[in-house]
Amino acid sequence: MLEIFKEPFMQTALLGGLITACLCAYLGVFVILKRIVFMGVALSQVAALGVASGLFVGVNPIISAFVLTLFGIILFWRYCQVFYANSLRGFILNGFHSSQLSCNPFKF
């Protein structure tokens, strides 16, 4: 059963898994304590809107997702300090999600 860990790729995978587990545990506690759990969901929706709009316009979807995600980060950083952060993130998330659905080039 333990012979598989004699292989170099399994040792590398185990080391990578342990490093990832330690980093994710630390970052998870940081995210929970800072109360920015909703930020990951909102930024993933912004990136999805960037991919959809890039495909719709005919631009590289990776570049458009990166640019729109940076715009979302700046928007969150600028306005979430003034208003109640979670409610504003919810409004921004719903706005980006609805615009993502409206410019989806693969409509059924």
Side-chain angles (χ1 to χ4, degrees):
M1 176 102 180
L2 296 177
E3 293 90 26
I4 196 156
F5 290 111
K6 292 180 182 175
E7 299 291 332
F9 73 93
M10 284 301 293
Q11 293 172 357
T12 307
L14 182 63
L15 181 64
L18 288 173
I19 291 172
T20 303
C22 293
L23 287 175
C24 287
Y26 176 74
L27 288 175
V29 170
F30 176 76
V31 164
I32 296 295
L33 290 178
K34 293 288 280 182
R35 296 184 181 186
I36 55 174
V37 177
F38 201 55
M39 186 69 72
V41 176
L43 287 178
S44 68
Q45 290 295 323
V46 172
L49 172 64
V51 170
S53 62
L55 290 173
F56 184 73
V57 175
V59 185
N60 187 352
I62 295 173
I63 294 173
S64 63
F66 181 73
V67 168
L68 212 57
T69 304
L70 283 179
F71 174 71
I73 290 171
I74 292 169
L75 189 70
F76 290 145
W77 174 70
R78 176 132 173 114
Y79 292 109
C80 288
Q81 295 173 354
V82 177
F83 301 107
Y84 184 65
N86 281 335
S87 62
L88 185 62
R89 284 185 200 123
F91 289 130
I92 294 172
L93 170 67
N94 288 332
F96 277 120
H97 187 66
S98 62
S99 59
Q100 170 195 351
L101 291 176
S102 66
C103 82
N104 186 3
F106 303 109
K107 294 180 181 171
F108 296 105

